[in-house]
């Protein structure tokens, strides 16, 4: 039977409706569509898709279960490797991971692996997640710093191995960027909360409002626990460093999205969140974070929401799906454009940005073509709010407070493949080690570290080459 060349589409809210609310945009597959999509999988013997999955899910295995209508078994196959499937099923960049390696790509669109993962995770959650099997205790204790995807995955896997795990989280809620960064319309908070509940059911304890490096030193954790994982992420905003950036009305993406998410601006008017968005908003940058800012601005009432980016469409780092959603919602893309200065009124509030047009030259060290300023092309745009979304650096507190810890040039903790730092018993992974990356890479790092921590706690051996 010939394989349908196109992926089944997910039904979603219409752009004109969704920009007036913060509800999730896609509705997900129905049972019937999921089975039809699963039947597109060729069940390749060499499983190329699995090579693109940092958390090692048996992808053809769970898809086959869906094709046969056995959704419970599909959930079991996924959960054996991934404790956060409803999250990864929504935000993972599949096109670059598993789906990028799908055999069907040679003739059409890859199997909708992400959409199927999401379908199963939602099916299981709606049905009521079953309790995980109890495992025999090893008597060993591990500490995990940070309850983002790296820390949660590491903690969940260690608990499945029988270790007693305590997560120390700086915020009053778990999830990291999943809660305070990614907006409700892409990843509803109740979904993150439900996945965290599963991690707790595995026996993991989470202690909130604990800033490691301030409330407790990392060295103290190393004394009290048999091993420690650092998954503190990359939450330090980068700025443009241009005149006027300290005007009222200029926010880092991080501050803006944290206010929206943690102070519940998405439940307006029930919550009175301190954000004045005005009518014209410009977001600088073109990654996922920038798309989230520009789309959030529309939902908060902006009439015009610009994405201003110094390279061209081809170099935009955001996922295609995010760019498409932003376009459909009316976000205006000003590409090959760079800001040079912000201007404000007499009260010190932003009212204009001066930009310059750019052209592309030879590739730079990132492999992307270098943007070059076109002399004399300066012009001004009236704006009320500027959102700076040009990247984040690793959180500096732990690197700064552990003087013997080896740090790399950009402030990230140096580790080997399995997360070992230069300090015996101390592991790190996710954005704190790689710099700002993706949810699935953070989860993969948490997984590899959990394995290495298990090995270390059983043997207390530390490779010589890793020591300070
Ligand atoms: P984080 O998620 O940052 O979690 C770190 C946790 O550590 C936080 O809870 C923090 O409070 C805590 N912490 C920090 N310091 C301390 C301390 N000293 N003591 C105790 N706790 C501490 N990736 C995708 O794959 N797809 C997307 O669509 C996507 N969209 C994104 C949108 C936004 C707005 C942002 C900001 C990022 C996005 N990313 C996306 C990137 C992705 O979210 C990150 O790569 C991922 O969350 C990194 O996980 P992590 O566990 O390493 O760190």
């Amino acid at each position: 039977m010939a394989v349908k060349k196109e992926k089944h589409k997910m039904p979603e809210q219409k752009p004109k409706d969704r920009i007036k609310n913060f509800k999730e945009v896609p509705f997900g597959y129905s049972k019937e569509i999921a089975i039809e999509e699963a039947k597109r999988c060729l069940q390749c013997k060499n499983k190329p898709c699995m090579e693109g999955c940092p958390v090692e899910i048996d992808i053809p295995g769970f898809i086959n279960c869906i094709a046969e209508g056995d959704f419970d078994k599909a959930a079991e196959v996924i959960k054996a490797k991934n404790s956060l499937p409803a999250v990864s099923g929504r935000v993972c960049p599949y096109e670059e991971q598993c789906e990028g390696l799908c055999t069907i790509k040679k003739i059409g669109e890859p199997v909708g692996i992400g959409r199927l993962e999401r379908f199963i995770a939602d099916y299981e959650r709606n049905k009521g997640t079953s309790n995980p099997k109890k495992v025999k205790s090893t008597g060993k204790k591990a500490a995990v710093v940070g309850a983002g995807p790296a820390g949660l995955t590491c903690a969940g896997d260690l608990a499945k191995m029988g270790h007693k795990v305590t997560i120390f989280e700086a915020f009053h809620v778990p999830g990291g960027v999943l809660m305070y960064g990614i907006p409700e319309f892409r990843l509803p908070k109740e979904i993150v909360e439900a996945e965290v509940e599963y991690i707790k059911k595995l026996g993991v304890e989470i202690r909130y409002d604990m800033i490691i490096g301030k409330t407790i030193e990392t060295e103290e954790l190393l004394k009290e626990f048999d091993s420690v994982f650092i998954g503190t992420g990359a939450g330090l905003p980068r700025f443009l460093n241009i005149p006027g950036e300290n005007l009222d009305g200029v926010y880092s993406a991080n501050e803006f999205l944290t206010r929206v998410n943690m102070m519940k601006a998405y439940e307006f008017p029930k919550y009175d969140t301190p954000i004045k968005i005005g009518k014209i908003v410009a977001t600088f940058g073109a990654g996922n974070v920038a798309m989230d800012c520009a789309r959030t601005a529309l939902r908060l009432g902006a009439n015009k929401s610009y994405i201003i980016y110094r390279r061209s469409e081809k170099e935009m780092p955001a996922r295609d799906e995010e760019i498409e959603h932003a376009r459909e919602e009316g976000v205006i893309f000003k590409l090959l454009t760079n800001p040079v200065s912000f201007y404000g009124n007499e009260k010190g509030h932003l009212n204009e940005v001066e930009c310059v047009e750019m052209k592309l030259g030879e590739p730079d060290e990132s492999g992307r073509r270098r943007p070059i300023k076109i002399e004399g092309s300066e012009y001004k745009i009236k704006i009320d709010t500027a959102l700076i979304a040009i990247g984040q650096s690793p959180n500096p507190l732990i690197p700064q407070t552990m003087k013997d810890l080896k740090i790399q040039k950009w402030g990230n903790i140096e580790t080997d493949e399995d997360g070992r730092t230069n300090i015996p018993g101390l592991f790190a992974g996710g954005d704190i080690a790689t710099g700002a990356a993706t949810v699935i890479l953070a989860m993969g790092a948490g997984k590899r570290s959990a394995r290495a921590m298990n090995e270390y706690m059983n043997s207390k051996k530390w490779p010589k080459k890793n020591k300070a």
Side-chain angles (χ1 to χ4, degrees):
M1 197 178 66
V3 178
K4 185 175 173 294
K5 286 193 182 152
E6 295 83 31
K7 233 189 241 191
H8 287 82
K9 286 202 166 30
M10 271 196 296
E12 59 183 31
Q13 284 195 69
K14 290 201 172 64
K16 70 171 177 32
D17 300 330
R18 68 190 193 226
I19 57 164
K20 296 192 200 110
N21 67 60
F22 273 86
K23 292 195 191 112
E24 195 175 10
V25 171
F27 301 124
Y29 280 162
S30 63
K31 285 183 185 175
E32 293 72 26
I33 302 182
I35 291 175
E36 281 309 308
E37 184 60 25
K39 286 184 180 162
R40 291 182 66 232
C41 175
L42 298 178
Q43 293 292 316
C44 309
K45 283 227 162 53
N46 57 344
K47 306 182 178 185
C49 50
M50 282 185 68
E51 280 167 40
C53 179
V55 293
E56 305 156 10
I57 298 173
D58 176 2
I59 296 169
F62 94 79
I63 292 183
N64 191 38
C65 296
I66 300 179
E68 288 177 353
D70 191 347
F71 304 145
D72 292 313
K73 182 79 188 146
E76 210 178 286
V77 174
I78 295 176
K79 279 274 176 75
K81 295 288 180 178
N82 181 359
S83 305
L84 310 170
V87 168
S88 52
R90 283 173 165 79
V91 300
C92 188
Y94 315 100
E95 53 286 353
E96 291 166 22
Q97 309 271 175
C98 50
E99 292 185 14
L101 298 168
C102 176
T103 310
I104 302 184
K105 249 191 106 183
K106 290 179 191 151
I107 56 153
E109 288 182 349
V111 175
I113 301 170
R115 293 173 185 181
L116 291 172
E117 185 187 25
R118 171 196 164 126
F119 166 76
I120 287 300
D122 290 355
Y123 161 83
E124 205 207 9
R125 194 181 58 259
N126 293 333
K127 197 182 89 154
T129 317
S130 47
N131 284 336
K133 285 187 200 119
K134 285 254 174 291
V135 282
K136 200 167 157 255
S137 165
T138 60
K140 300 273 193 291
K141 291 191 304 176
V144 168
V145 184
L152 289 170
T153 303
C154 181
D157 279 20
L158 285 168
K160 284 182 196 164
M161 294 170 196
H163 303 300
K164 167 106 191 68
V165 190
T166 310
I167 300 184
F168 294 86
E169 167 55 47
F171 266 129
H172 57 290
V173 291
V177 168
L178 309 179
M179 283 299 255
Y180 68 75
I182 303 181
E184 180 75 9
F185 57 84
R186 273 216 297 135
L187 182 59
K189 314 265 167 283
E190 63 169 4
I191 285 175
V192 183
E193 282 158 5
E195 305 247 283
V196 173
E197 273 314 304
Y198 177 74
I199 304 279
K200 287 198 211 156
K201 275 190 190 170
L202 289 166
V204 173
E205 183 199 351
I206 309 185
R207 295 183 62 190
Y208 299 106
D209 303 313
M210 301 293 285
I211 307 175
I212 303 308
K214 261 204 166 87
T215 328
I216 307 181
E217 294 302 330
T218 318
E219 286 85 349
E220 286 177 53
L221 294 183
L222 276 167
K223 278 187 208 144
E224 199 186 320
F225 291 85
D226 296 296
S227 67
V228 177
F229 175 80
I230 309 286
T232 47
L236 185 69
R238 291 199 197 129
F239 286 95
L240 293 160
N241 292 321
I242 60 173
E245 214 170 4
N246 57 352
L247 284 164
D248 203 11
V250 182
Y251 297 84
S252 70
N254 196 306
E255 182 186 347
F256 172 69
L257 291 172
T258 304
R259 284 195 199 198
V260 171
N261 282 313
M262 303 297 257
M263 296 168 145
K264 303 198 176 187
Y266 56 88
E267 285 189 40
F268 180 82
K270 195 169 150 201
Y271 289 86
D272 187 12
T273 308
I275 301 178
K276 280 203 188 86
I277 193 81
K279 289 295 164 203
I280 311 175
V281 178
T283 301
F284 299 88
N288 288 326
V289 181
M291 299 306 141
D292 284 345
C293 286
R295 296 174 69 197
T296 298
L298 287 174
R299 284 162 174 78
L300 291 177
N303 289 342
K304 269 192 188 164
S305 179
Y306 293 110
I307 283 281
I308 298 186
Y309 179 54
R310 62 193 183 138
R311 291 182 158 102
S312 73
E313 167 128 28
K314 203 168 144 236
E315 290 81 20
M316 291 202 286
R319 294 182 57 205
D320 291 350
E321 189 178 302
E322 302 311 325
I323 297 170
E324 195 186 312
H325 275 145
R327 278 227 164 84
E328 287 170 358
E329 290 171 11
V331 171
I332 304 160
F333 286 75
K334 280 192 167 290
L335 305 178
L336 290 166
T337 303
N338 207 25
V340 285
S341 189
F342 292 115
Y343 296 92
N345 61 19
E346 63 290 346
K347 288 187 180 148
H349 196 285
L350 171 76
N351 59 13
E352 254 180 346
V353 58
E354 181 172 315
C355 294
V356 64
E357 288 176 18
M358 311 292 281
K359 62 181 178 188
L360 293 181
E362 292 301 309
D364 60 16
E365 58 285 356
S366 73
R368 293 176 303 173
R369 291 177 64 193
R370 186 189 300 274
I372 303 167
K373 176 178 165 183
I374 301 176
E375 291 302 332
S377 64
E378 289 81 0
Y379 68 103
K380 287 183 179 170
I381 313 173
K382 290 244 172 277
I383 56 171
D384 300 306
T385 305
L387 306 173
I388 318 293
I390 56 165
Q392 295 97 236
S393 301
N395 280 324
L397 187 60
I398 291 182
Q400 277 171 5
T401 49
M402 281 197 87
K403 62 178 178 358
D404 294 332
L405 184 63
K406 261 200 200 155
I407 307 299
Q408 289 186 331
K409 192 170 149 198
W410 303 111
N412 33 331
I413 299 178
E414 191 173 305
T415 68
D416 71 5
E417 265 288 285
D418 297 319
R420 292 180 195 90
T421 67
N422 64 312
I423 296 178
L426 186 67
F427 296 75
D431 283 5
I432 187 67
T434 54
T438 63
V439 170
I440 200 73
L441 288 177
M443 288 168 64
K447 199 170 208 31
R448 287 195 304 281
S449 280
R451 234 179 257 149
M453 287 165 82
N454 179 49
E455 196 187 301
Y456 170 75
M457 289 192 284
N458 290 331
S459 69
K460 286 284 164 188
K461 280 192 194 134
W462 199 255
K464 260 202 192 116
K465 65 178 171 58
N466 284 61
K467 288 188 188 161

